[in-house]
Amino acid sequence: MNTFRHLAVLVVASALAWRCGAEPMRAAAPSTAPIDLPTAIALALDQPAVRAASHEAAAADALVAQAERLPNPTLSYLREGQQAGLRTTTVQIDQPIELGGKRGARVALAREAAALATGEARAQRQAVRADVIAAYYAVLVAGHRFTLAQASSELARKTVDVAARRVAAGKISPIEETRARLALVDADTAQHGAAAALAIARTTLGALTGRPADSLVLADDAGRLPDAAPLASLLARIDDSAALRRARGQLAARQAQVGVERAARVPDVTLSVGTKRDDQLGKRQTVVGLSVPLPLFDRNADALRAALRRTDQAGDELAAAATATTAALTSAHTRYMTAQRAAQLLRDDVVPNAQAAYEQTLKGFEYGKFSFLDVESAQRTWYGAQLRQWDSVENAWRAYADIERLAGATATTATAQRTRN
C-alpha cells in the first residue's frame, strides 16, 4: 500500500515544482537566460512585418512633401514653314497655375494619408503586442498541462504494476487490472496530446519573436494574473482604441478627398510666355498667352458626389466601430474577470479539496474501505481540477490580451500589481 502513497507524492511534487517556477522543455537551451514577457514583446516588435508598416508610414510622409510641389512648366518649340526666309519659329514656356485651392487640398489629403499610415503602424504594433501576450502564456500553460499529463501517465503506469501484483496475490479481480491498463492508455494519449499542444504553442511564439521554437526558455509567471482596470475606465478610453483611430483616419482622408474633388471643379489657367521669330520681318516678337479649359462636358460633379458618399460611408463605419469596440471590450473584460475568479476558486478551494479526497480514498483503499475504481476516480478528479485551473488561467490571459488589443497597453494597471492565481 505504500506504493500508492509514493504515487500521490509524485503528483504533489510535480505540481509544487511548477509553482516554484520550473519550466517545460528547458533541455533544448539549458544555457539560455529565460525570456520574460517585455523581452518577448520587444523581439516581436523588431520583426520584419512590423518594420514594414513603419516603412509605409515613412513613405506616406514623403508624399506630403511631394504634394506640396508646384506643377512643372512645359518648354515648347514650334516652326511654321520650310523655306528659309519665309518660315517662323516660336519658343515658349507654358506654366500651369492651379486655382481653386487644388494644391492646399492635395497637401491636406497627403497629410491625412500619412496620418492614416502612421495609425496603421501603431495599430499593428498594438496587435502584435497582444498576440505575444496570448502566445507567451499559451506556452507556459501548455507546459503546465504537459507536466500534469506526464505525472498522470507515470501514476497510471505504476498503478498498473500495483494492480498486476494484487491480482497475482488474489486480492483484487483481474477486471481491476484491465481498468488500470485502460486508464494508462488514456493517460498516454493525453500526454501525447499535451506534448503536441506545447510544440504548437512554442512554434507560434517562435514565429512572433523570431526565435527558434526549441530554444525558447520563458520566465514562468503564468499563474500571476494582473488586475484589469475597471470597465468604466476602459470604456472611457474607447476613443483611443486602434479600431476607432483607424475609422477616424479613414473619415478624415475621405473628407480631404472631397476637398480635392471640389477644387478640381475650378479650371486651371496656363500662362504662356515666349518669343517668335519671323524671317520675313527679320525680327523677334514676344509671345504671351493665357489658356483656360472650358468646363462644358466635365465639371467633376460625379467624382465629387462619389467622394461625398464615401465620406458618409466612413462616418457610418466610425459609428459602427465605436459600437463594436464597446461590445468587444465589455465582453473581454467580463471574460477576464470570470476566468480570474474561476482560477482563484480552483486554486484555493477545488484543487486542495480534490487532493484531500484523493489522499483519503487512497488511505481507505489500503484498509479495504474503497475499491480501486474509487481510487482511480478520485485521482482523475484531482487531475481534472488542476487542468481546469490552468484552463481558467489561459482563458484569463487570452481575455487580457484582447483587452490590450482593444484598449491599448495603458488600459490595464501595472503588471507589478498582480494577484496570484
Side-chain angles (χ1 to χ4, degrees), residues 246-308:
R246 180 183 295 109
R248 281 198 302 272
Q250 290 283 4
L251 177 59
R254 296 288 174 81
Q255 290 172 337
Q257 184 64 45
V258 170
V260 170
E261 302 300 343
R262 183 172 284 117
R265 302 188 67 184
V266 179
D268 292 336
V269 173
T270 300
L271 176 64
S272 301
V273 178
T275 179
K276 179 179 180 180
R277 176 176 175 78
D278 191 329
D279 290 350
Q280 289 182 339
L281 299 178
K283 61 180 181 179
R284 294 184 177 275
Q285 295 178 313
T286 301
V287 177
V288 178
L290 194 66
S291 62
V292 180
L294 300 178
L296 299 179
F297 307 109
D298 182 9
R299 299 183 180 182
N300 208 45
D302 296 328
L304 176 59
R305 185 165 58 252
L308 290 171

Side-chain angles (χ1 to χ4, degrees), residues 172-191:
I172 61 174
S173 168
I175 297 178
E176 301 292 348
E177 181 183 355
T178 301
R179 288 173 175 168
R181 293 188 181 280
L182 290 175
L184 174 59
V185 173
D186 291 341
D188 286 344
T189 302
Q191 181 179 344

Side-chain angles (χ1 to χ4, degrees), residues 6-59:
H6 294 159
L7 301 183
V9 171
L10 174 66
V11 178
V12 174
S14 176
L16 289 177
W18 272 108
R19 279 191 172 276
C20 293
E23 278 194 324
M25 302 180 71
R26 276 181 174 261
S31 61
T32 303
I35 299 175
D36 58 9
L37 180 60
T39 302
I41 292 175
L43 289 172
L45 293 179
D46 194 39
Q47 294 307 301
V50 180
R51 295 200 303 269
S54 64
H55 293 324
E56 176 59 29

Side-chain angles (χ1 to χ4, degrees), residues 377-417:
S377 177
Q379 188 270 333
R380 284 179 176 273
T381 300
W382 183 24
Y383 173 73
Q386 294 177 82
L387 284 180
R388 287 171 56 197
Q389 177 188 352
W390 289 113
D391 287 344
S392 296
V393 169
E394 184 177 20
N395 290 337
W397 278 115
R398 286 179 177 175
Y400 179 85
D402 289 340
I403 293 174
E404 292 287 314
R405 190 190 315 276
L406 293 166
T410 60
T412 52
T413 58
T415 54
Q417 301 176 351

Side-chain angles (χ1 to χ4, degrees), residues 238 241 243-245 247-248 315-327:
I238 202 73
S241 65
L244 264 67
R245 288 199 307 269
R248 281 198 302 272
D316 290 338
E317 289 174 346
L318 175 59
T323 301
T325 304
T326 299

Side-chain angles (χ1 to χ4, degrees), residues 311-374:
T311 301
D312 295 338
Q313 176 189 8
D316 290 338
E317 289 174 346
L318 175 59
T323 301
T325 304
T326 299
L329 188 56
T330 302
S331 175
H333 186 271
T334 301
R335 287 188 288 111
Y336 179 80
M337 298 304 297
T338 301
Q340 185 187 44
R341 286 191 292 267
Q344 183 176 1
L345 177 63
L346 287 162
R347 181 204 67 191
D348 296 339
D349 189 14
V350 178
V351 171
N353 288 337
Q355 179 181 352
Y358 169 74
E359 293 172 350
Q360 292 172 3
T361 304
L362 179 61
K363 185 175 181 180
F365 177 69
E366 294 178 359
Y367 292 99
K369 295 182 179 180
F370 298 107
S371 67
F372 173 77
L373 187 61
D374 295 327

